Amino acid sequence: MRTRRGLVGLAFGVALFATGCGGGDGPSLAGTWVMAENGSRTMTVRDDGSLSASVGVSCTGATKSQGKRAYRFEFDCGITRYSLDGSLSADGKNLTMKDPSTDQNAVWNRK
C-alpha cells in the first residue's frame, strides 16, 4: 500500500508543478510572453517549466516556483547564463522580472 500512495503523491506533485498553479493559487505561468518595452523580445514557458526565449540571442532554460506567483528563471544563452526572479500578476496577464545586477524591472505581457 505504501508504494501506491507514493506513486499517487508523486503524480499529484508532478501535476501541480506542470500546471504552474501551486494547487489553484492562481493563473499558470505557461504561455508566450512579449516584453512590454521591446516587443521583439519573446519568451515561451511550457507546462513542464522549461522555457525558450529570443532576447537578441536565443536562450533556453527553466522556471522554478518560489511560492505564490513567484518564480526563478534560469536562462542559458550559450555565451552566458543568468538567473532572474519574477512575479506573475494576480490576473496572470503580466510578468515582472527583476535583474539583480541592475535592480531594474522588466515587464512582460501575455501574448
Side-chain angles (χ1 to χ4, degrees), residues 71-75 81-86 97-106:
Y71 297 90
R72 167 65 58 119
F73 294 83
E74 304 283 340
F75 292 93
R81 292 179 182 200
Y82 60 97
S83 300
L84 300 173
D85 290 326
M97 288 190 207
K98 184 170 210 144
D99 183 340
S101 64
T102 64
D103 207 31
Q104 293 183 336
N105 288 331

Side-chain angles (χ1 to χ4, degrees), residues 86-97:
S87 61
L88 185 61
S89 64
D91 63 6
K93 294 180 181 178
N94 300 39
L95 173 63
T96 302
M97 288 190 207

Side-chain angles (χ1 to χ4, degrees), residues 51-63:
L51 65 84
S52 58
S54 176
V55 290
V57 296
S58 294
C59 305
T60 59
T63 62

Side-chain angles (χ1 to χ4, degrees), residues 35-63:
M35 184 182 269
E37 186 177 308
N38 182 342
S40 67
R41 294 182 179 192
T42 61
M43 174 176 64
T44 300
V45 178
R46 294 174 205 59
D47 287 334
D48 67 358
S50 65
L51 65 84
S52 58
S54 176
V55 290
V57 296
S58 294
C59 305
T60 59
T63 62

